[in-house]
Structure formats: structure tokens, C-alpha cells
């Protein structure tokens, strides 16, 4: 087996033109029978790395996956692409298992998905020994590590695979990056000199936006208005939060459901199904939601509350845009979230060491939200990647903060902290600076201090922004062990007493920030056509999915529909050129989708719009109805030569037609024999003269169409 086979399989089964970064190298490693460790972000395309070898090599690939729901999904997806696959786990009956076993032993199955507990069970060993296994793929391999967040004890028993099947290549795949986990995977699975592949964790199609959490409900309503009909997840910290938000959104006329661990199991799976099948677009959920959901067209992920660490944040937003199309990640943060987490951590049973680690990670999370630095740069840096440019697709890049001499502003805040004997927290400090009438201010006689009301030039939010920066640059710190009061550091004293200069990012006036965003451009006609057709194809997909009882994205992904709306394929051959259309799907759904596109093109042409391909199609329709060439020329007001060339084009693009009516097989051979003397686009006149006018233009046109069609 070599990469040419792999490439052909990628096209044939999955309909993709080329491999993504590292996929080819990983597949080559499998062909070379090497063990491999693969780190790729969610949506990076891990599945292809074992699915393509599985279909090209003899025997069956065994895939270990911890998520039962995902297994079913993957097997359905493979079947939809014409790849025989099956799964065995606790969700299926004894009889079903026997059917799968028979199919396996008969050599019908190319991929077998198994849960780890099944794979390691005694009962399963005899079957395993009788199979011709070409590859083991351990998905979500980080579950093996007790350091990770999804530790699964059964995974640790998988070490027997290398003992029992030393010659079968094993590939471990995960989206969790840290070094400790990586080392654990290699050691526990006993990988031998594994080839390690670490893909970039960048997800350039996800736009990263971070906003302060004030009025977040209003902000979410605005956001949803701008994203009608799109699927998205809103993560909330608490169960109550999920329910409350879903209720409020429904009251505003959005269709939203909630999901958390305490929702009864049946209802949970209904919520999940409705989301997957595009029936409920918005889910308000705790982080319990998402694992095991393979939906590729999640267009946005909103964090209503700050996630507890960057790993979680990145994993959650990674559920957006798996189809590679633009997706948005919107994070709201507030200091109150940090405080609630800290309380949660403090009250937990964890060891001091673990608590400290959690708090450190939480602080990094908060810093990420606070720091006016390219978000992508910050988060990739956290995962150990250098990213030495600005991404252009995050709020900071799109709206770069302006630096100003913040010394005076900082001094005001620092002085107020000192004058209140360092006994105030963030919010009270700001109230003092802004001269608030709050009761605590008067009770403590803080309205008498010199800095009371000295910071009226900034809004409450501005001050939050400025003081947070002071925290990052180390002018102040928060005494978590003392009611989260602010304390002035050594550095802070230098600024306060010695006037040491400090640069801060200027708070952005709200309206101005909006203004800076590029104005929505007038949409071109092409763009409008594309959107309209995309909507129609989406509707068709939904109908087809309902008939077949599968989620819409298993029919075609959004990316595929978008490519279709762009290319407007009118024939099978055209459709094959669309990304994500393999042989099987062409067979199953090709006609329906082509017919819809043709209908669209005819309608548009009927309305007098100029649509590429429409003129050939109109000619073709008339021809199919039995009109003669001359009649068509008459009806359409074009020359017969043009009519013939339209028909030849349709033939070239894959329509069935007996061309012997125009050119005999012998003549066709002769003309085609001369084509290498010329170059595309073939010059009709020169070819005509080359044969001393022996073959007329129609013959030449059809010989060329036939040659192109064969290509
Ligand atoms: P992961 O398992 O790493 O989260 P998937 O394997 O589900 O990611 O792939 C994510 C999406 O990318 C899927 O829709 C998949 O079909 C698509 N994809 C994978 N490889 C390619 C490729 N070479 N070309 C185009 N799309 C691809
Ligand atoms: Zn950026």
C-alpha cells in the first residue's frame, strides 16, 4: 500500500481532494507498520488517519472509542460513505453482536468500533484472535492518563494489545496536548518507538471574541439575532443558569433547550438528537454537553461564564466549526466567576496541591480574558506553540487597544487603595474612585478621603479594565486569603510614590469599537445566489435526512453544501468535483441534489438572470424533450453550431448520450489522436485545418468532449 492508494480512497469514499497537514504522514506511518501518537485539535481530521488505512489495507481495523454515542455516529457516517463498519458495546443485544461477529469473520467489516471494556473483557479475546487485524486505533487516548480530565480506568488495560499483537501497528489519537499525558499514553500502551505527530492546535476558522460580562443576556440576544437559523452552544456554569437562560431566550422568541447532568436521561438524549438534527438550534448547557457530539456545523460557542481553565475553553470552542467553515467563539467574563470557582475549589476535597494547580489554571484563564493581546497567540502559547503574528480573527486583532500613559490613572487607584487601608475589593474601589453614593462608602467614611470621586472620567467598565491590567503588570494583587481585598505591591509603590511610568491599554468607548468593525458590504449577486441556493440545499438535505432517519450532516456537511452552492454542479461529473462527495453519496443523493440545482438554475435563467451553465441546461432540457437541433436553435435564437456545442458540453460533463449520431467511433479515434498536438482550450479552427477540413466542427467538438469526459 502506498499514498497513491490512500489518495484514491480519500477521493472515492470521502470525496476529498487532498490530505490535511500530517494526515498523509500519519497514514504512511501506518503503512510502514509503525506505532504512532497523534495529537490534533478537535476537528483537525483525526478519523481520516485511521479510516483511510483501514479501507485500503487488507483485514479489519479495530478502533477503541470511549463514547458509545460517538461510535454509532461514526459507523453511520462510514456506512453513508459506502464503508462497511460496525460497533460492539454495551448498547447492543446479544443477537446483534452475533451478527457483527459473523460479518467480521466473513471479512465484510473494514472498521470495528469497540468500547474499551468490551475489548479487554475475557469473552472478547477468542474473536479478537480469529480476526485479521491490520491496525489498532485508540481514539481519545488521553483517557488512559489519570492526569487528564477524562480518566477511564479500562483504558489502562489496553496495554495487552501490544503484548498480544506486537506486529499490528497501533495509533493513539487525542486532542489533549500536555506533555505528561503524552508520556503516559506512550508508556501505558507500550508503544514502540512511536512516530509522534503534533498538529498545530490553531483553528483559524474560529473567531475568538472576549467581552466583559455586563448585560450579557442583552448581548446574547443581539448575537443570536445576527445568527438566525444557526446551531450553537451556550455554556453556563450552573444547572440553574442553563435553565434560566433557555427560558429567557424562549420568551424572546428563540428556540433554545437546556442540558445538564440532572436532566433525565431520556430527555437528555432528546435534546441532543434535536440539536444534532437541526431542530433545536441553541442549547444552553453545562460542560456535560458536547463530549460525544460529532455535529460538524456548530456555528458558535458562547461561554456565558468563564471556563475554569484554558484547556476546557479550547476544547469547548473546538466543537464549533468542525467543517472548517467560519465559526464564532464568544466568551463573557466577570470577576464574579473567578470568585465562585475559587469558593468551589476551596470547598472541594482535593489536596492542597491540586487546589493550587486549579487556582493557577483559573488565573491563567482570567488573564487570557483580560490581557489585550491577540487571543490566538495567548492560547496557542499556553499549549506550547509559538505563533509569531497577529491572527486577524480575534477581537484584539480586529480592534487593537491603544496604549496610553496610564501613570496618573494608576496612581489614583493605588492611592485610593492605600487610603482605605487596603480593605476594599475591586468593585468597592471603583465605586470610591467614581464617587458613588453606596452605603458602605459612607459607613466607612471613605467619601472623606482625597481620592473619592477622583476617577469620574472613566466608567465602571473602564476602571475594571484598567485595574485588571494593573493586576497583570503586578502593581496590585488580590489577597484571596483576605476577602479578595486589593493590596499594593512593591511595583505599585514605585508608581505611586516615585512616579514610575506605566503604560496601559486605553479602554475603548463602546460605540467606537462597533464602528471600527468593517462595514457590512453590499452583497454581490453571485453571493446572493449562493446563499439562496445554499438555503434550498439545506432544506433538501433536511428532507432527505428525515426520510433516511439520520442526522442531516451525515448526508452532506455544511462545507459540502456551500461548495455545491458555489460550484452549482449540473451533472454527476460536476458533482464529483465538490469537496465531500464520494462515490457512494453521488450514487445515493446525486440525482436529488443535481435536480434541485438544475431547478434553481432554470428558475434564475427564467427570471432573466445570467447564471453560468444555465444556457447549456436550457438547451439540454429541450433536447431531452425530443426537439431537433434546428428547432432548438429556432426557439433559443442561436445558431445550430451553438446548440451542438451546448449538447457536447453536457456530454462532456457526464450526461448520457450516443455521440455516434455526430461522430463515428473511428472518426473520434482519429481526431483524438491529433489532440496531443494542441493544448487546452483546444483551438477548433486549427484542428479543422489540421485535417484539411475533412471533419466538420460538430465532429471535432464531440471528439473533444469525449476526450475530456474520459479524463
Ligand atoms: P477530529 O476527529 O480530529 O475531531 P474529524 O475526523 O471528525 O476530526 O474531522 C473533522 C472534519 O473535517 C470532518 O467533517 C471531516 O470529514 C473533515 N476532513 C477531515 N479530513 C479532511 C480532508 N483531508 N479534506 C477535507 N475535509 C476533511
Ligand atoms: Zn488575534
Amino acid at each position: 500500500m502506498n499514498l497513491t492508494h490512500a489518495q484514491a480512497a480519500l477521493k472515492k469514499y470521502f470525496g476529498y481532494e487532498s490530505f490535511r497537514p500530517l494526515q498523509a504522514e500519519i497514514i504512511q506511518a501506518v503503512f510502514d507498520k509503525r506505532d504512532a501518537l497523534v495529537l490534533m485539535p478537535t476537528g483537525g481530521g483525526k478519523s481520516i488517519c485511521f479510516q483511510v488505512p483501514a479501507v485500503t489495507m487488507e483485514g479489519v481495523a479495530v478502533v477503541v472509542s470511549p463514547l458509545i454515542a460517538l461510535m454509532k455516529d461514526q459507523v453511520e457516517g462510514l456506512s453513508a460513505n459506502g464503508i462497511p463498519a460496525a460497533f460492539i458495546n454495551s448498547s447492543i443485544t446479544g443477537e446483534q453482536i452475533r451478527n457483527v461477529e459473523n460479518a467480521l469473520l466473513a471479512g465484510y467489516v473494514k472498521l470495528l468500533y469497540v468500547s474499551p471494556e468490551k475489548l479487554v473483557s475475557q469473552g472478547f479475546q477468542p474473536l479478537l484472535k480469529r480476526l485479521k487485524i491490520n491496525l489498532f486505533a485508540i481514539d481519545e487516548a488521553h483517557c488512559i492518563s489519570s492526569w487528564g480530565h477524562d480518566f477511564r480506568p479500562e483504558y489502562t488495560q489496553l496495554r495487552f494489545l501490544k503484548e498480544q499483537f506486537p506486529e499490528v501497528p497501533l495509533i493513539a489519537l487525542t486532542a489533549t496536548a500536555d506533555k505528561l499525558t503524552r508520556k503516559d499514553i506512550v508508556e501505558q500502551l507500550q508503544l514502540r518507538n512511536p512516530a509522534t505527530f503534533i498538529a498545530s492546535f490553531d483553528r483559524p476558522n474560529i473567531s475568538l471574541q472576549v467581552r466583559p460580562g455586563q448585560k450579557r443576556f442583552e448581548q446574547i440576544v443581539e448575537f443570536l439575532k445576527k445568527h438566525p437559523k444557526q446551531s450553537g452552544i451556550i455554556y453556563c456554569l450552573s444547572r440553574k443558569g442553563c435553565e434560566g437562560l433557555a427560558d429567557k431566550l424562549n420568551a424572546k422568541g428563540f428556540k433554545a433547550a437546556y442540558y445538564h447532568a440532572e436532566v433525565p436521561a431520556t430527555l437528555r438524549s432528546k435534546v441532543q438528537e434535536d440539536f444534532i438534527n437541526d431542530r433545536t438550534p441553541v442549547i444552553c448547557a453545562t460542560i456535560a454537553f458536547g463530549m460525544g457530539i460529532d455535529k460538524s456545523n456548530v456555528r458558535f460557542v458562547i461561554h456565558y461564564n468563564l471556563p475554569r481553565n484554558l484547556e476546557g475553553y479550547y476544547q469547548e470552542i473546538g466543537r464549533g466549526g468542525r467543517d472548517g467553515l467560519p465559526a464564532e467563539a464568544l466568551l463573557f467574563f466577570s470577576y464574579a466567576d473567578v470568585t465562585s470557582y475559587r469558593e468551589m475549589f476551596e470547598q472541594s476535597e482535593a489536596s492542597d496541591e491540586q487546589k493550587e494547580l486549579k487556582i493557577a489554571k483559573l488565573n491563567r484563564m482570567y488573564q487570557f480574558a483580560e490581557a489585550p493581546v491577540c487571543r490566538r497567540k495567548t492560547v496557542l502559547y499556553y499549549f506550547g506553540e509559538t505563533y509569531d503574528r497577529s491572527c486577524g480573527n480575534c477581537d484584539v486583532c480586529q480592534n487593537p487597544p491603544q496604549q496610553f500613559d496610564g501613570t496618573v490613572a494608576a496612581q489614583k487607584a493605588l492611592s485610593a487603595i492605600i487610603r482605605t487601608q487596603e480593605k476594599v475589593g475591586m468593585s468597592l474601589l471603583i465605586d470610591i474612585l467614581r464617587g458613588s453614593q453606596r452605603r458602605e462608602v459612607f459607613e466607612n467614611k471613605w467619601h472623606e478621603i482625597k481620592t473619592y470621586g477622583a476617577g469620574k472620567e472613566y466608567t465602571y467598565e473602564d476602571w475594571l479594565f484598567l485595574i485588571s491590567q494593573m493586576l497583570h503588570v503586578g502593581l496590585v494583587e488580590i489577597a484571596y486569603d483576605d476577602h479578595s481585598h486589593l493590596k499594593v505591591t512593591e511595583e505599585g509603590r514605585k508608581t505611586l510614590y516615585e512616579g514610575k511610568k506605566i503604560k496601559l491599554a486605553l479602554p475603548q468607548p463602546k460605540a467606537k469599537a462597533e464602528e471600527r468593525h468593517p462595514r457590512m458590504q453590499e452583497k454581490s449577486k453571485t453571493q446572493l445566489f449562493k446563499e439562496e441556493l445554499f438555503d434550498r440545499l439545506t432544506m433538501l438535505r433536511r428532507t432527505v435526512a428525515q426520510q433516511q432517519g439520520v442526522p442531516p450532516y451525515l448526508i452532506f456537511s455544511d462545507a459540502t453544501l456551500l461548495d455545491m452552492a458555489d460550484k452549482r454542479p449540473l451533472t454527476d461529473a460536476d458533482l464529483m468535483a465538490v469537496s465531500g462527495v464520494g462515490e457512494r453519496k453521488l450514487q445515493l443523493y446525486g440525482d436529488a441534489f443535481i435536480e434541485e440545482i438544475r431547478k434553481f438554475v432554470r428558475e434564475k435563467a427564467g427570471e432573466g438572470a445570467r447564471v453560468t451553465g444555465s444556457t447549456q441546461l436550457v438547451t439540454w432540457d429541450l433536447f431531452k424533450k425530443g426537439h431537433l437541433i434546428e428547432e432548438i436553435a429556432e426557439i433559443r435564437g442561436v445558431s445550430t453550431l451553438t446548440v451542438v456545442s451546448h449538447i457536447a458540453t453536457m456530454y462532456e460533463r457526464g450526461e448520457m448520450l450516443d455521440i455516434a449520431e455526430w461522430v463515428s467511433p473511428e472518426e473520434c479515434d482519429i481526431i483524438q489522436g491529433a489532440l496531443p498536438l494542441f493544448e487546452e482550450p483546444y483551438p477548433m479552427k486549427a484542428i479543422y485545418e489540421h485535417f484539411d477540413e475533412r471533419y466538420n466542427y460538430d465532429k471535432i467538438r464531440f471528439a473533444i468532449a469525449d476526450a475530456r469526459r474520459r479524463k
Side-chain angles (χ1 to χ4, degrees):
M1 282 304 137
N2 59 38
L3 281 178
T4 319
H5 296 112
Q7 186 91 38
L10 183 71
K11 179 70 195 163
K12 175 176 153 105
Y13 293 106
F14 300 94
Y16 298 137
E17 290 303 324
S18 54
F19 286 112
R20 291 212 183 131
L22 294 186
Q23 284 178 333
E25 289 89 328
I26 294 163
I27 292 169
Q28 185 63 57
V30 175
F31 287 160
D32 295 343
K33 295 208 171 300
R34 276 194 77 179
D35 291 341
L37 173 64
V38 174
L39 258 103
M40 245 187 218
T42 314
K46 285 187 283 299
S47 316
I48 292 285
C49 301
F50 55 84
Q51 289 171 346
V52 165
V55 290
T56 44
M57 296 192 299
E58 223 184 290
V60 57
V62 174
V63 185
V64 181
S65 163
L67 303 159
I68 292 182
L70 211 66
M71 264 186 224
K72 184 163 163 277
D73 218 51
Q74 292 232 351
V75 167
E76 279 176 359
L78 287 165
S79 307
N81 282 325
I83 301 171
F87 64 90
I88 295 185
N89 60 35
S90 58
S91 78
I92 63 173
T93 63
E95 192 189 329
Q96 285 170 318
I97 293 188
R98 274 189 298 283
N99 287 341
V100 172
E101 283 179 2
N102 290 337
L104 278 165
L105 291 170
Y108 285 141
V109 181
K110 294 308 297 176
L111 285 115
L112 173 68
Y113 284 74
V114 213
S115 60
E117 47 283 357
K118 198 84 207 171
L119 185 67
V120 303
S121 71
Q122 279 309 316
F124 201 67
Q125 303 314 307
L127 175 68
L128 212 52
K129 295 232 170 64
R130 290 176 64 191
L131 297 178
K132 183 170 169 37
I133 299 171
N134 55 27
L135 165 68
F136 286 109
I138 316 293
D139 210 0
E140 314 283 350
H142 61 276
C143 292
I144 207 167
S145 172
S146 53
W147 292 101
H149 39 86
D150 318 307
F151 176 53
R152 303 254 174 163
E154 315 83 60
Y155 259 67
T156 56
Q157 294 175 45
L158 293 174
R159 57 166 51 241
F160 86 95
L161 289 175
K162 273 278 111 173
E163 285 159 11
Q164 304 263 338
F165 302 90
E167 73 296 347
V168 178
L170 188 152
I171 113 172
L173 308 103
T174 173
T176 295
D178 78 66
K179 280 203 181 110
L180 221 50
T181 311
R182 247 185 268 171
K183 201 164 142 246
D184 236 14
I185 294 172
V186 172
E187 277 170 11
Q188 296 214 43
L189 288 174
Q190 307 194 61
L191 302 188
R192 288 164 205 190
N193 181 26
T196 302
F197 300 95
I198 303 178
S200 167
F201 269 64
D202 188 14
R203 300 282 310 278
N205 60 319
I206 303 181
S207 114
L208 308 176
Q209 307 287 328
V210 180
R211 294 188 203 158
Q214 283 84 24
K215 301 214 172 104
R216 56 192 107 178
F217 181 69
E218 287 79 357
Q219 294 196 55
I220 288 175
V221 167
E222 279 310 303
F223 182 93
L224 293 181
K225 277 188 194 156
K226 285 188 192 141
H227 295 78
K229 290 190 271 182
Q230 297 188 346
S231 291
I233 308 171
I234 307 179
Y235 283 111
C236 306
L237 184 53
S238 69
R239 292 159 195 183
K240 261 212 184 108
C242 298
E243 295 183 14
L245 182 59
D247 287 348
K248 273 163 76 183
L249 287 175
N250 279 308
K252 281 265 177 195
F254 299 101
K255 202 167 173 205
Y258 60 85
Y259 183 110
H260 55 67
E262 254 159 50
V263 174
T266 45
L267 187 58
R268 267 209 317 262
S269 50
K270 181 175 177 335
V271 169
Q272 190 162 322
E273 288 290 305
D274 284 347
F275 181 61
I276 288 174
N277 290 290
D278 296 347
R279 290 189 290 264
T280 308
V282 181
I283 307 292
C284 306
T286 59
I287 50 174
F289 184 74
M291 265 290 248
I293 290 190
D294 223 356
K295 186 176 167 67
S296 67
N297 61 342
V298 176
R299 295 268 71 88
F300 59 86
V301 175
I302 298 177
H303 280 94
Y304 192 88
N305 300 97
L306 194 76
R308 61 191 68 197
N309 53 46
L310 277 166
E311 284 90 346
Y313 168 71
Y314 210 61
Q315 189 175 30
E316 282 138 31
I317 66 166
R319 295 181 180 134
R322 292 176 70 146
D323 49 17
L325 299 178
E328 283 185 60
L330 173 58
L331 165 70
F332 292 107
F333 73 99
S334 75
Y335 204 75
D337 291 340
V338 177
T339 319
S340 352
Y341 280 125
R342 290 189 69 102
E343 272 166 21
M344 247 162 66
F345 296 163
E346 296 298 348
Q347 285 161 12
S348 75
E349 311 260 288
S351 68
D352 283 351
E353 195 190 350
Q354 277 176 322
K355 279 184 193 167
E356 251 171 54
L357 185 70
K358 282 186 173 170
I359 288 174
K361 289 196 166 188
L362 175 64
N363 288 342
R364 286 294 288 272
M365 182 70 229
Y366 188 67
Q367 279 168 16
F368 162 83
E370 265 299 328
V373 179
C374 170
R375 311 286 178 199
R376 208 168 302 273
K377 195 183 264 182
T378 315
V379 72
L380 289 176
Y381 175 74
Y382 180 78
F383 291 122
E385 253 181 74
T386 40
Y387 187 91
D388 50 9
R389 52 211 149 103
S390 292
C391 79
N393 196 18
C394 77
D395 57 322
V396 179
C397 287
Q398 283 158 352
N399 220 342
Q402 286 179 331
Q403 299 257 312
F404 76 117
D405 181 351
T407 316
V408 174
Q411 282 171 336
K412 286 180 185 172
L414 293 166
S415 158
I417 297 172
I418 297 285
R419 284 168 203 271
T420 51
Q421 279 86 43
E422 303 189 310
K423 282 198 168 54
V424 293
M426 184 94 82
S427 129
L428 199 50
L429 174 69
I430 297 175
D431 283 340
I432 294 168
L433 284 165
R434 297 196 12 89
S436 141
Q437 308 286 318
R438 204 167 142 175
R439 189 166 46 87
E440 291 99 311
V441 175
F442 292 102
E443 274 173 9
N444 290 294
K445 295 206 177 347
W446 286 326
H447 62 290
E448 290 172 9
I449 66 174
K450 213 176 130 208
T451 29
Y452 177 74
K456 282 190 176 141
E457 68 273 38
Y458 295 114
T459 63
Y460 186 90
E461 286 79 29
D462 290 349
W463 271 118
L464 263 183
F465 185 67
L466 293 171
I467 298 171
S468 309
Q469 291 180 69
M470 291 168 61
L471 269 168
H472 296 318
V473 295
L475 299 188
V476 288
E477 60 193 12
I478 295 175
Y480 291 109
D481 50 358
D482 181 15
H483 313 282
S484 294
H485 288 162
L486 293 167
K487 311 277 169 180
V488 178
T489 62
E490 269 315 301
E491 274 304 299
R493 280 167 211 279
K494 284 186 197 154
T495 295
L496 180 58
Y497 300 122
E498 298 161 27
K500 187 175 171 202
K501 292 246 180 277
I502 176 81
K503 277 214 179 309
L504 296 175
L506 201 60
Q508 295 259 349
K510 261 226 163 69
K512 214 170 142 205
E514 294 281 315
E515 219 172 77
R516 284 190 180 206
H517 277 289
R519 269 286 184 93
M520 276 266 269
Q521 300 212 322
E522 273 287 318
K523 284 183 182 158
S524 68
K525 193 136 200 174
T526 329
Q527 187 58 27
L528 288 173
F529 272 1
K530 187 170 160 178
E531 282 173 17
E532 191 183 335
L533 182 56
F534 178 75
D535 278 351
R536 283 170 60 159
L537 295 175
T538 311
M539 253 143 48
L540 173 63
R541 172 176 70 175
R542 209 157 143 171
T543 316
V544 175
Q546 262 160 11
Q547 285 161 359
Q548 314 248 325
V550 296
Y553 64 85
L554 276 188
I555 308 285
F556 287 125
S557 72
D558 278 16
T560 299
L561 291 193
L562 210 59
D563 200 28
M564 234 182 252
D566 197 32
K567 294 191 174 129
R568 288 203 294 266
L570 296 174
T571 62
D572 282 7
D574 295 351
L575 189 58
M576 273 302 268
V578 169
S579 171
V581 183
E583 282 178 7
R584 176 71 171 202
K585 290 198 174 160
L586 177 74
Q587 240 175 35
L588 291 177
Y589 314 122
D591 288 349
F593 281 81
I594 288 175
E595 200 31 64
E596 185 68 31
I597 297 168
R598 287 187 170 192
K599 218 164 91 195
F600 176 82
V601 167
R602 281 186 202 114
E603 270 173 38
K604 290 295 156 199
E607 289 162 14
R610 288 169 62 98
V611 194
T612 329
S614 64
T615 181
Q616 285 89 347
L617 186 62
V618 173
T619 299
W620 183 251
D621 287 343
L622 291 168
F623 181 69
K624 275 294 180 195
K625 278 191 195 140
H627 289 287
L628 300 173
I629 304 296
E630 290 72 22
E631 287 171 359
I632 301 172
E634 177 84 34
I635 297 170
R636 302 215 55 203
V638 294
S639 72
T640 52
L641 207 62
T642 305
V643 172
V644 171
S645 102
H646 286 170
I647 293 170
T649 304
M650 295 305 283
Y651 173 71
E652 179 180 313
R653 291 161 77 175
E655 282 300 328
M656 295 301 280
L657 181 69
D658 183 11
I659 60 167
E661 206 177 305
W662 285 277
V663 60
S664 75
E666 298 76 31
E667 290 169 329
C668 196
D669 275 353
I670 296 170
I671 299 170
Q672 286 176 354
L675 289 181
L677 301 173
F678 303 91
E679 268 175 31
E680 283 273 23
Y682 293 120
M684 298 281 285
K685 188 154 181 276
I687 298 173
Y688 182 60
E689 283 162 3
H690 173 81
F691 287 111
D692 293 331
E693 311 185 356
R694 217 173 321 142
Y695 306 113
N696 67 23
Y697 279 102
D698 286 358
K699 289 185 198 296
I700 297 172
R701 185 66 192 83
F702 271 102
I704 292 175
D706 188 60
R708 287 188 185 144
R709 179 186 166 113
R710 281 165 205 267
K711 242 196 243 155

